[in-house]
Amino acid sequence: MRLEARSLSFSYGKRKVLEDISFSVSSGEALAILGRNGSGKTTLLRLILGFLRPEKGSLLIDGEDAALMKKKERAMQIAYIPQSSEIVYSYSVMDTVLMGRAPLLPLFGKPGKKDREKAEEILETLGIADLSMRVVNAISGGERQLVLIARALIQDARILLLDEPTSALDYSNQLLVMETTAKLKEKGYTIIFSTHNPEQALMNATDVMVLSESHISFHGKPKELLDGKVLEELYSRKLCIREIETGENRRIICVPR
Ligand code: ADP
């Protein structure tokens, strides 16, 4: 499924936040959005979800204008995965995942046996089937992030939006969540994630987009960032970016000089 943004612009009142934003992401690709605090990453995700309306420009989902789609139809195409720290309630993992089914059920309808089976299957795929009856508040942040991914997957949407999916996670959980995202990309999902960690973008994205002063200041492949210029300007730091052989993979790493 292909998502295309054409010349999107958005302002909060008189404050212009995004101007002339164009990009596209296809099935099997992951677009990482980088940008300093306040550069408009969350606003862009909210525009894609339809929570905000662009002032100008349009969004196309497989060539169809998203503005003309019904809310439910749009929800069936695009799923949003918030930060795990935003979830503070005491439902079970199973019930949390089943919430993702809501847009597909009739009004006041309850999830049935098939929905439960589907939830179990997804939890199994993500390696967290044993957590099914645990309370969401009582599992680790990384596990909770996987539950939120499961909640998005049961929605049957093929476009996944992740807002800083690894913020507030320890290193091992960051890797777990990013590896899961990579698997979903390989399965053909269309992925967009925002991150404050340039290395995550370099390692996991097929394309990187940098937002700065309402515009896209860079859009290209991770390898195009190897000379350091774009990221040094973005973070106002001297950086050392290298491609290295890890034994199993080639990875791009980023450390301060
Ligand atoms: P990021 O996710 O990159 O940190 P945001 O999209 O949250 O950036 O915010 C972009 C800019 O828009 C910031 O200057 C922020 O203060 C402003 N902003 C965000 N939400 C609102 C809002 N609801 N009303 C007014 N201004 C907002």
Side-chain angles (χ1 to χ4, degrees):
M1 189 153 267
R2 181 180 158 90
L3 178 85
E4 186 181 349
R6 284 194 191 157
S7 293
L8 286 181
S9 296
F10 183 83
S11 307
Y12 290 106
K14 283 190 179 156
R15 191 188 158 80
K16 181 134 281 193
V17 176
L18 295 170
E19 192 161 18
D20 202 18
I21 304 293
S22 298
F23 63 89
S24 70
V25 207
S26 296
S27 172
E29 292 179 349
L31 173 72
I33 306 175
L34 294 176
R36 288 194 160 202
N37 286 330
S39 60
K41 300 181 294 299
T42 306
T43 303
L44 180 57
L45 296 182
R46 300 187 82 203
L47 282 169
I48 296 172
L49 281 163
F51 294 170
L52 297 172
R53 284 164 77 127
E55 208 170 86
K56 280 195 210 138
S58 54
L59 264 165
L60 307 177
I61 299 174
D62 266 353
E64 220 183 303
D65 189 342
L68 304 178
M69 288 181 176
K70 291 201 174 90
K71 231 176 164 183
K72 182 171 172 174
E73 199 187 338
R74 194 158 168 164
M76 284 166 73
Q77 322 272 21
I78 306 180
Y80 175 64
I81 299 158
Q83 296 171 15
S84 59
S85 53
E86 285 176 27
I87 301 299
V88 279
Y89 52 56
S90 50
Y91 293 110
S92 72
V93 165
M94 174 54 84
D95 286 343
T96 305
V97 175
L98 286 171
M99 283 174 202
R101 208 70 187 150
L104 308 178
L105 299 172
L107 196 61
F108 305 120
K110 284 195 171 163
K113 188 164 169 265
K114 281 229 163 77
D115 300 309
R116 270 179 186 278
E117 281 168 7
K118 196 167 169 71
E120 277 163 12
E121 197 183 300
I122 290 170
L123 289 172
E124 186 80 48
T125 318
L126 296 179
I128 48 169
D130 54 326
L131 298 180
S132 173
M133 289 304 135
R134 295 271 298 276
V135 171
V136 164
N137 278 346
I139 58 177
S140 80
E143 290 167 341
R144 208 175 307 137
Q145 192 69 60
L146 294 185
V147 172
L148 294 177
I149 293 177
R151 187 179 71 173
L153 295 184
I154 205 170
Q155 204 177 315
D156 277 344
R158 301 297 297 173
I159 300 172
L160 304 180
L161 304 188
L162 299 98
D163 192 4
E164 293 173 31
T166 61
S167 67
L169 297 186
D170 67 35
Y171 185 60
S172 127
N173 277 315
Q174 286 181 24
L175 294 179
L176 178 68
V177 167
M178 288 322 295
E179 280 158 8
T180 304
T181 310
K183 280 188 202 148
L184 295 171
K185 174 183 75 181
E186 265 134 45
K187 281 191 174 174
Y189 283 91
T190 305
I191 294 185
I192 299 180
F193 67 98
S194 64
T195 177
H196 283 303
N197 181 340
E199 212 163 75
Q200 261 171 22
L202 293 165
M203 275 205 295
N204 300 294
T206 42
D207 294 87
V208 180
M209 187 164 95
V210 178
L211 292 180
S212 164
E213 290 169 15
S214 327
H215 291 89
I216 297 177
S217 59
F218 170 85
H219 186 187
K221 300 287 171 199
K223 281 196 178 178
E224 292 172 53
L225 296 165
L226 276 168
D227 68 9
K229 281 189 194 135
V230 171
L231 296 181
E232 285 184 349
E233 194 178 317
L234 172 60
Y235 297 113
S236 307
R237 287 292 299 257
K238 287 272 173 214
L239 299 171
C240 179
I241 303 172
R242 298 275 183 277
E243 193 167 20
I244 60 159
E245 198 69 59
T246 63
E248 287 171 31
N249 293 298
R250 286 188 78 77
R251 302 260 198 211
I252 303 179
I253 55 159
C254 173
V255 288
R257 284 202 193 190

